[in-house]
Coordinates of all heavy atoms in Angstrom, one line a residue:
H254 N 225.5 123.8 37.3 CA 224.6 123.3 36.2 C 223.2 123.4 36.6 O 222.3 123.3 35.8 CB 224.9 121.9 35.8 CG 224.5 120.9 37.0 ND1 225.3 120.8 38.1 CD2 223.5 120.2 37.1 CE1 224.7 119.9 38.9 NE2 223.6 119.6 38.4
T300 N 220.8 117.9 45.9 CA 221.1 117.1 44.6 C 222.4 116.3 44.8 O 223.0 116.4 45.9 CB 221.0 118.0 43.4 OG1 221.1 117.1 42.3 CG2 222.1 119.0 43.4
M301 N 222.9 115.7 43.8 CA 224.1 114.9 43.7 C 225.3 115.6 44.5 O 225.5 116.8 44.2 CB 224.4 114.6 42.3 CG 225.6 113.8 42.1 SD 225.5 113.5 40.2 CE 227.3 112.9 40.0
P302 N 226.0 115.0 45.3 CA 225.9 113.7 45.9 C 225.4 113.6 47.3 O 225.8 112.8 48.1 CB 227.4 113.2 45.9 CG 228.1 114.6 46.3 CD 227.3 115.7 45.8
K304 N 222.1 113.3 48.7 CA 220.8 112.9 49.0 C 220.8 111.9 50.2 O 219.8 111.8 50.9 CB 220.1 112.3 47.8 CG 219.7 113.5 46.8 CD 219.0 113.0 45.7 CE 218.7 114.1 44.8 NZ 218.1 113.8 43.6
D341 N 211.3 113.4 44.5 CA 211.9 112.7 43.2 C 210.8 111.6 42.8 O 210.8 111.3 41.6 CB 213.2 112.2 43.5 CG 214.3 113.2 43.2 OD1 214.1 114.3 42.7 OD2 215.4 113.0 43.8
G367 N 222.6 102.8 37.8 CA 222.9 103.7 38.9 C 222.3 103.1 40.3 O 221.3 102.3 40.2
A368 N 223.0 103.5 41.3 CA 222.5 103.1 42.6 C 222.7 104.2 43.7 O 222.8 104.0 44.9 CB 223.2 101.8 43.1
G369 N 222.7 105.4 43.2 CA 222.9 106.6 44.1 C 221.5 107.2 44.5 O 220.5 106.4 44.4
G370 N 221.4 108.3 45.0 CA 220.2 108.9 45.5 C 219.1 109.0 44.5 O 217.9 108.5 44.9
G371 N 219.4 109.4 43.3 CA 218.4 109.4 42.3 C 217.8 108.1 42.0 O 216.6 107.8 41.9
A372 N 218.7 107.1 41.8 CA 218.4 105.7 41.5 C 217.5 105.1 42.6 O 216.5 104.4 42.2 CB 219.6 104.9 41.3
N390 N 225.1 98.9 38.4 CA 225.9 100.1 39.0 C 227.3 99.8 38.9 O 227.8 98.7 38.9 CB 225.5 100.3 40.4 CG 226.0 101.8 40.9 OD1 225.9 102.7 40.1 ND2 226.6 101.8 42.1
R391 N 228.1 100.9 38.6 CA 229.5 100.7 38.6 C 230.1 100.1 39.9 O 230.9 99.1 39.7 CB 230.2 102.2 38.4 CG 231.7 102.2 38.5 CD 232.2 103.6 38.4 NE 231.8 104.5 39.5 CZ 232.2 105.8 39.6 NH1 233.0 106.3 38.7 NH2 231.8 106.4 40.6
T392 N 229.7 100.5 41.0 CA 230.1 99.9 42.3 C 229.1 98.8 42.5 O 228.0 99.1 42.9 CB 230.2 100.9 43.4 OG1 230.9 102.0 43.0 CG2 230.7 100.3 44.7
K395 N 227.0 98.5 45.8 CA 225.8 99.5 46.0 C 224.6 98.9 45.2 O 223.5 99.1 45.7 CB 226.1 100.9 45.6 CG 226.9 101.6 46.6 CD 227.5 102.9 46.2 CE 226.6 104.0 45.9 NZ 227.2 105.2 45.4
A428 N 220.2 106.6 35.6 CA 220.2 107.5 36.8 C 221.6 107.6 37.5 O 221.8 107.8 38.7 CB 219.3 106.8 37.9
T429 N 222.6 107.7 36.6 CA 223.9 108.1 37.0 C 224.3 109.6 36.6 O 223.4 110.1 35.8 CB 225.1 107.2 36.5 OG1 225.3 107.6 35.1 CG2 224.8 105.7 36.5
G430 N 225.4 110.1 37.1 CA 225.7 111.4 36.6 C 226.5 111.4 35.3 O 227.0 112.5 34.9
V431 N 226.6 110.3 34.7 CA 227.5 110.2 33.5 C 226.7 110.8 32.3 O 225.5 110.5 32.0 CB 227.8 108.7 33.1 CG1 228.6 108.7 31.9 CG2 228.5 108.1 34.3
M433 N 226.5 114.2 32.2 CA 226.2 115.5 32.6 C 227.3 116.5 32.4 O 228.4 116.2 32.4 CB 225.9 115.4 34.1 CG 225.3 116.6 34.8 SD 224.9 116.3 36.5 CE 226.4 116.7 37.4
L456 N 217.9 110.7 33.6 CA 217.6 111.6 34.7 C 218.4 112.9 34.5 O 218.2 114.0 35.1 CB 217.9 111.1 36.1 CG 216.8 110.5 36.9 CD1 216.0 109.5 36.0 CD2 217.2 110.0 38.2
V457 N 219.6 112.8 33.7 CA 220.4 114.0 33.5 C 219.6 115.0 32.7 O 218.9 114.6 31.7 CB 221.7 113.6 32.8 CG1 222.5 114.8 32.3 CG2 222.6 112.7 33.7
Y458 N 219.6 116.2 33.0 CA 218.9 117.3 32.3 C 219.8 118.5 31.7 O 219.3 119.2 31.1 CB 217.8 117.9 33.1 CG 218.3 118.5 34.3 CD1 218.8 119.9 34.3 CD2 218.2 117.9 35.5 CE1 219.2 120.5 35.5 CE2 218.7 118.5 36.8 CZ 219.2 119.7 36.7 OH 219.6 120.3 37.8
G479 N 215.4 114.4 31.5 CA 215.3 114.6 32.9 C 214.7 115.9 33.3 O 214.4 116.1 34.4
L480 N 214.6 116.8 32.3 CA 214.0 118.0 32.5 C 212.5 118.0 33.0 O 212.1 118.6 33.9 CB 214.2 119.0 31.4 CG 213.8 120.4 31.6 CD1 214.9 121.0 32.6 CD2 213.8 121.3 30.2
M482 N 211.3 115.5 34.7 CA 211.3 115.1 36.1 C 211.8 116.2 37.0 O 211.1 116.5 38.1 CB 212.3 114.0 36.3 CG 212.6 113.6 37.8 SD 213.5 112.1 37.9 CE 213.8 112.0 39.5
L483 N 212.7 117.0 36.5 CA 213.2 118.2 37.4 C 211.9 119.1 37.6 O 211.8 119.7 38.7 CB 214.3 118.9 36.6 CG 214.8 120.2 37.4 CD1 215.8 119.7 38.5 CD2 215.5 121.1 36.5
Q486 N 209.3 117.4 40.0 CA 209.7 117.3 41.5 C 210.0 118.7 42.1 O 209.7 118.9 43.2 CB 211.0 116.4 41.6 CG 212.3 116.8 41.0 CD 213.0 117.9 41.8 OE1 212.9 118.1 42.9 NE2 213.9 118.7 41.0
Ligands
LIG1 P1 224.6 110.2 43.5 O1 223.8 109.9 44.7 O2 225.9 110.9 43.8 O3 224.8 108.8 42.6 C1 225.7 109.0 41.5 C2 225.5 107.6 40.7 O4 226.3 107.9 39.4 C3 226.0 106.5 41.3 O5 225.4 105.3 40.9 C4 227.5 106.4 40.8 O6 228.1 105.1 40.8 C5 227.2 106.8 39.3 N1 228.3 107.4 38.7 C6 228.9 108.5 38.9 N2 230.0 108.7 38.1 C7 230.1 107.6 37.4 C8 231.0 107.2 36.3 N3 232.0 107.9 36.0 N4 230.8 105.9 35.8 C9 229.8 105.2 36.2 N5 228.9 105.5 37.2 C10 229.0 106.7 37.7 O7 223.8 111.2 42.5 P2 222.2 111.3 42.2 O8 221.6 112.2 43.2 O9 221.7 109.9 42.2 O10 222.2 111.9 40.8 C11 222.6 111.1 39.6 C12 222.2 112.0 38.3 O11 220.9 112.0 38.3 C13 222.8 113.3 38.4 O12 223.1 113.7 37.0 C14 221.5 114.2 38.8 O13 221.6 115.5 38.4 C15 220.4 113.4 38.2 N6 219.2 113.6 38.8 C16 218.3 114.3 38.2 C17 217.0 114.5 38.8 C18 215.9 115.3 37.9 O14 215.0 115.7 38.5 N7 216.0 115.1 36.7 C19 216.7 114.0 40.0 C20 217.7 113.3 40.7 C21 218.9 113.1 40.1 P3 228.9 104.5 42.0 O15 228.0 104.1 43.0 O16 229.8 103.5 41.4 O17 229.7 105.8 42.4

Side-chain angles (χ1 to χ4, degrees):
H254 68 281
T300 188
M301 183 175 166
K304 287 183 181 180
D341 276 342
N390 192 46
R391 174 180 64 176
T392 308
K395 278 168 72 182
T429 75
V431 180
M433 185 172 94
L456 264 55
V457 171
Y458 58 83
L480 195 64
M482 172 173 172
L483 179 79
Q486 64 79 26

